[in-house]
Amino acid sequence: MSSQTISSLLGRGHQNNFKLTEKQKSIMIGSDDSCRKGFICSETYLAPFHCRIFLQKDNVHGWKTLIQEKAMNPQKYVTFVNKNRLKMRETQWLWNGDEVKIGRGDNLENLICFVFQDETEKRKLAKTIEVPEYLKHRFNNCQESIGSGAHSIIYLAYETKLRETRECVCKIVSLTKKVSESCFEKLCQEPKLLESFNHSNIIKVLGYHIGNNPDRLLIWQEKMQCDLEKYFQKRKIICPNEWYNISFQVLDALKYLHDKGIVHRDIKPENIMWTDNTCKVLKLIDFGVAKNYKNETERDNEQVGTHLYIPPEIHRASNAEINDLYKPPVDIWAFGILSFRFLTGQTPFFENEKYDKTALRDKIIKKEISKIPLMERRINERIIELIIEQLLDYDPKSRVTANEVMGILTNLQKLFE
């Protein structure tokens, strides 16, 4: 039988460490020496049998580790998992990184602390982020997660090319319950699509790998600095001059995509990032749901995107109609919503940003968007007209194009000098 460590409790600030294996599936921690491997000296003020740590087989998760309060005097002795105190005989599932504290209830400042480590999960993570052999000379992935998307986790990575090493990121998508086989196959098209692009405002793919055992997609990309949502949240409102700079870069990227027959389908501030901390150059990222709207073999009858930025024609459409409506006007509407938010500090539909999806959908479909928030910010009348009447035109057939917006902004350049 294997003696490989499945989970462990590592003492924080003291030398007591405990591990569980298939041979040693259970440990009682306490001050009675009959606790054997879980014995802690009685001077630590633990109950004779304080708590039990044990393994349990689970068909879904494999091994899981649980902790059970065993102290017979719950008034005198305590067991905490993070900030949750266990009740008498209560059992709780431990997750990687959980903090366990045990000791006397009248001496909470001197509790004995452990950090729980799920060694199985750590091994799974190591397997997930492992660089395939044929790319190890070029890429190195770190275990440091620096972000996540709807289907992916982003890790810090390094690329070595021409004897120079630079930071990059590795976006990893794994086949899981959350990511079905059909979804995984679609997401595998993203790096192939990005490789065909050459635009200064679209993120570049440095390399990618699609493999199995485990089934995963790894995409190495340029490392960006900060997305526009975080940037906006710090500033609360974007001034017209800065909006002008943002607009030109985003619209130039959209014009490039639309001319190639590609619609992004998830334009939002989180998918637009500054390349560095000077906040001058922006790039579109996350093309996981992008599609070629001219290719009839790529029919997609599911709604995708982020609810706030999805236009009324998509919200109203039946599944049979959706595919034919995912065209460039979808991206233009999303940019209109982004523009309204940035210039006013609020959405066009609610004064604050707390709302449920059903209420939001109803507002998008039914409500005419008011100019008043823009007028109150003293935005130029021509910009208000551009946003309300052209970018946010409820008729997708008459909605302005990226190329037309760039022309309008060029003619208004003097307003921003």
Side-chain angles (χ1 to χ4, degrees):
M1 189 179 288
S2 172
S3 61
Q4 186 179 49
T5 301
I6 294 172
S7 60
S8 57
L9 281 176
L10 305 180
R12 177 174 281 174
H14 57 91
Q15 299 302 311
N16 296 293
N17 297 320
F18 305 111
K19 66 179 181 179
L20 296 175
T21 69
E22 288 194 37
K23 287 184 177 179
Q24 178 75 39
K25 296 186 180 69
S26 175
I27 291 177
M28 182 77 75
I29 296 176
S31 59
D32 191 301
D33 59 8
S34 65
C35 290
R36 293 173 297 173
K37 292 185 178 181
F39 170 68
I40 297 176
C41 175
S42 58
E43 292 179 7
T44 57
Y45 305 106
L46 296 187
F49 299 95
H50 200 105
C51 61
R52 177 176 171 241
I53 313 293
F54 62 98
L55 296 176
Q56 191 174 89
K57 196 75 171 178
D58 185 289
N59 291 332
V60 176
H61 301 95
W63 288 110
K64 61 182 182 182
T65 306
L66 299 102
I67 182 170
Q68 183 181 38
E69 171 65 88
K70 300 292 285 187
M72 297 300 292
N73 187 346
Q75 301 301 318
K76 185 176 181 180
Y77 301 108
V78 295
T79 299
F80 286 91
V81 177
N82 299 322
K83 295 182 179 180
N84 176 45
R85 179 178 174 177
L86 300 189
K87 298 175 184 176
M88 189 174 178
R89 294 290 185 268
E90 181 180 358
T91 301
Q92 183 170 323
W93 188 352
L94 291 176
W95 295 86
N96 192 50
D98 278 351
E99 186 177 64
V100 175
K101 290 184 177 181
I102 56 178
R104 289 177 65 109
D106 60 359
N107 193 9
L108 297 180
E109 292 182 358
N110 294 307
L111 298 178
I112 301 171
C113 183
F114 299 89
V115 177
F116 175 70
Q117 298 288 327
D118 189 327
E119 304 296 337
T120 304
E121 285 302 311
K122 286 169 67 177
R123 285 190 287 271
K124 284 181 183 176
L125 174 60
K127 185 76 171 175
T128 299
I129 68 172
E130 182 182 24
V131 180
E133 197 65 39
Y134 74 98
L135 287 171
K136 282 186 176 178
H137 69 286
R138 186 173 172 195
F139 296 109
N140 176 37
N141 289 344
C142 302
Q143 290 199 5
E144 182 184 351
S145 170
I146 58 173
S148 61
H151 305 101
S152 62
I153 301 179
I154 315 295
Y155 291 91
L156 181 66
Y158 292 91
E159 179 195 27
T160 301
K161 195 173 183 181
L162 300 176
R163 297 182 182 179
E164 181 182 343
T165 299
R166 63 172 179 171
E167 281 189 333
C168 61
V169 299
C170 185
K171 176 177 175 179
I172 301 180
V173 181
S174 299
L175 187 62
T176 62
K177 276 190 171 182
K178 187 178 177 182
V179 180
S180 65
E181 286 189 28
S182 60
C183 178
F184 183 77
E185 287 178 12
K186 289 177 184 176
L187 293 170
C188 286
Q189 300 307 307
E190 179 183 6
K192 300 173 185 177
L193 186 65
L194 281 168
E195 272 195 329
S196 69
F197 299 155
N198 182 21
H199 192 280
S200 59
N201 298 119
I202 295 176
I203 195 167
K204 286 183 171 57
V205 166
L206 307 173
Y208 68 94
H209 168 77
I210 302 170
N212 49 43
N213 193 28
D215 292 289
R216 61 194 177 129
L217 164 67
L218 296 87
I219 310 174
W220 288 275
Q221 300 176 338
E222 304 168 278
K223 186 184 178 189
M224 301 286 103
Q225 181 65 29
C226 172
D227 68 56
L228 279 187
E229 183 61 31
K230 292 175 183 172
Y231 185 78
F232 169 65
Q233 292 299 334
K234 286 181 181 178
R235 281 166 169 69
K236 305 303 179 186
I237 286 179
I238 303 294
C239 71
N241 281 29
E242 198 167 9
W243 170 80
Y244 180 81
N245 173 46
I246 290 170
S247 298
F248 243 100
Q249 295 187 65
V250 175
L251 289 163
D252 196 42
L254 288 179
K255 177 184 180 299
Y256 175 85
L257 292 173
H258 297 167
D259 286 347
K260 291 175 75 69
I262 304 298
V263 57
H264 186 283
R265 299 204 295 177
D266 199 16
I267 295 296
K268 59 182 178 180
E270 293 92 331
N271 285 340
I272 305 166
M273 299 191 75
W274 297 111
T275 59
D276 56 42
N277 57 17
T278 63
C279 297
K280 292 181 179 178
V281 179
L282 288 164
K283 296 200 177 192
L284 292 188
I285 67 165
D286 201 343
F287 284 73
V289 296
K291 66 169 288 184
N292 185 332
Y293 66 92
K294 294 181 179 179
N295 188 343
E296 282 300 311
T297 63
E298 289 187 27
R299 296 194 67 82
D300 188 345
N301 297 327
E302 295 181 9
Q303 186 182 103
V304 298
T306 303
H307 272 71
L308 175 60
Y309 299 92
I310 293 174
E313 66 268 20
I314 299 296
H315 279 298
R316 285 193 299 257
S318 66
N319 288 345
E321 297 170 321
I322 280 180
N323 181 77
D324 296 326
L325 292 171
Y326 269 120
K327 292 182 178 179
V330 168
D331 291 343
I332 298 300
W333 173 277
F335 183 73
I337 299 294
L338 179 154
S339 298
F340 191 103
R341 280 189 71 212
F342 280 11
L343 291 171
T344 67
Q346 66 183 67
T347 77
F349 312 106
F350 299 92
E351 290 186 11
N352 61 56
E353 299 203 353
K354 293 182 179 179
Y355 44 76
D356 63 58
K357 290 180 180 179
T358 302
L360 176 62
R361 177 183 178 276
D362 291 342
K363 290 276 189 181
I364 292 173
I365 290 174
K366 298 173 183 176
K367 185 178 178 181
E368 290 185 7
I369 297 173
S370 173
K371 299 178 181 180
I372 293 174
L374 289 162
M375 293 170 67
E376 289 175 343
R377 297 297 305 171
R378 298 187 178 181
I379 304 299
N380 180 274
E381 288 183 8
R382 185 63 188 92
I383 299 301
I384 294 176
E385 179 189 345
L386 170 63
I387 293 171
I388 300 296
E389 298 180 16
Q390 295 177 283
L391 292 173
L392 298 177
D393 188 335
Y394 267 66
D395 182 358
K397 293 179 181 177
S398 58
R399 202 171 294 153
V400 71
T401 67
N403 190 42
E404 288 168 343
V405 182
M406 290 183 69
I408 293 168
L409 292 178
T410 300
N411 292 334
L412 296 174
Q413 186 172 357
K414 290 183 179 180
L415 292 175
F416 305 97
E417 292 177 347

